[in-house]
Amino acid sequence: MGGGGRTYLVEGAQLNREKLTENIERSIMMVTALSPMIGYDRAARIAHRALDENLTLQQAALKSGITESLFDRIIDPERLTHPDTANGH
């Protein structure tokens, strides 16, 4: 296979990094990473708040009393893609 990195990319297509970042920030599924730290019910309320108020997950978490440092430590999309580090350690 190969093809100089074009195996799965249509020639001329470019990644829309701004939209990708927005989609990640609005991904409600990432709230599950907070559940072990803050409990399922509180995490669910944050997810609902994000949806109901059209907020990013971080905005909803901060408005719900989660500190930015805790959020950033737990909700790290890059780290969450590696199962051995998803628990925040």
Side-chain angles (χ1 to χ4, degrees):
M1 289 221 163
R6 296 189 305 193
T7 303
Y8 300 106
L9 180 66
V10 175
E11 191 168 337
Q14 294 186 1
L15 181 64
N16 184 337
R17 293 188 186 279
E18 185 177 315
K19 185 63 175 170
L20 179 61
T21 299
E22 179 185 338
N23 289 343
I24 290 170
E25 289 176 350
R26 293 193 173 275
S27 175
I28 300 304
M29 292 184 298
M30 289 192 301
V31 78
T32 59
L34 283 173
S35 291
M37 301 297 283
I38 65 170
Y40 174 83
D41 290 337
R42 192 167 178 200
R45 285 193 300 274
I46 290 170
H48 283 283
R49 184 175 201 166
L51 290 171
D52 293 345
E53 298 179 23
N54 194 29
L55 302 171
T56 66
L57 187 58
Q58 182 184 39
Q59 290 168 331
L62 296 178
K63 284 187 169 201
S64 299
I66 302 300
T67 65
E68 189 170 358
S69 63
L70 175 63
F71 184 89
D72 290 344
R73 183 167 52 92
I74 302 301
I75 306 297
D76 179 349
E78 179 95 19
R79 195 183 73 245
L80 291 174
T81 62
H82 298 42
D84 59 326
T85 60
N87 63 6
H89 299 293

